[in-house]
Amino acid sequence: MSQPYVVRYVGGPLDGRVDSLPSVPEDPKQTVTYVHLHSGPKIVHVYDLAYVVEYGCEYRLRAEEA
């Protein structure tokens, strides 16, 4: 039995989210954008791809630019 490919999110509103994919993606997205819509202004969070040997890949919240 093969193990699923795991994608984790670190930081921001998606912190702790884990997605399981049936196999390794051929061309994973380098960034993921999460847009939070509510009664106020929209809030945009950007996650950058990082590889982790133990379980697959991880998207880390991009630090705000000064």
Side-chain angles (χ1 to χ4, degrees):
M1 175 188 281
S2 64
Q3 296 211 351
Y5 188 76
V6 176
V7 179
R8 297 178 189 260
Y9 295 84
V10 177
L14 298 180
D15 190 37
R17 178 177 170 172
V18 177
D19 292 337
S20 294
L21 305 176
S23 63
V24 178
E26 286 186 31
D27 191 20
K29 295 180 182 178
Q30 295 300 307
T31 60
V32 172
T33 303
Y34 174 78
V35 180
H36 179 73
L37 301 174
H38 54 88
S39 60
K42 75 177 180 182
I43 300 171
V44 178
H45 294 90
V46 179
Y47 292 82
D48 294 311
L49 179 65
Y51 289 99
V52 179
V53 175
E54 293 85 17
Y55 52 79
C57 70
E58 180 173 271
Y59 284 99
R60 297 180 186 157
L61 181 65
R62 182 180 293 173
E64 292 184 28
E65 297 175 6

